[in-house]
Amino acid sequence: MSKRNKKSEVVIKETNRNSEDFTELELFVGNEKIGTIQQEKEQAITTINKNGNQAKAKNIDEAINNLIMDYNLHYM
């Protein structure tokens, strides 16, 4: 028997740590924080999931996709 598809709203919020040289975004599914995306100046983008594991991404879209895939794999 297969699972039903669940509709979940993903919300991206900027944190108060943002500046000209540093960008930080938080991803939420409902009210649950699933991860953080950080980038300093022109360096690679770093994703941090719920467990604190870090990974690199080429762009913001890839970082968002990686966090959502990790959440779907381990927490849904």
Side-chain angles (χ1 to χ4, degrees):
M1 191 180 282
S2 65
K3 289 185 178 181
R4 246 188 216 168
N5 289 337
K6 294 181 183 178
K7 299 218 181 228
S8 300
E9 181 180 358
V10 176
V11 177
I12 302 169
K13 296 181 181 178
E14 290 186 11
T15 66
N16 57 1
R17 294 182 56 195
N18 286 342
S19 67
E20 284 187 31
D21 299 334
F22 182 76
T23 303
E24 183 175 70
L25 305 171
E26 294 178 332
L27 264 71
F28 292 86
V29 172
N31 293 330
E32 184 178 4
K33 180 180 169 183
I34 65 170
T36 305
I37 299 171
Q38 299 176 337
Q39 183 179 24
E40 288 188 49
K41 288 193 179 187
E42 298 299 320
Q43 295 181 2
I45 297 169
T46 303
T47 60
I48 305 168
N49 68 9
K50 283 177 65 170
N51 293 332
N53 297 330
Q54 295 186 5
K56 298 289 183 186
K58 293 179 185 176
N59 56 45
I60 295 290
D61 291 334
E62 181 182 342
I64 293 169
N65 191 36
N66 289 343
L67 287 173
I68 293 171
M69 285 190 319
D70 181 69
Y71 177 78
N72 285 336
L73 181 63
H74 296 291
Y75 301 103
M76 287 197 86

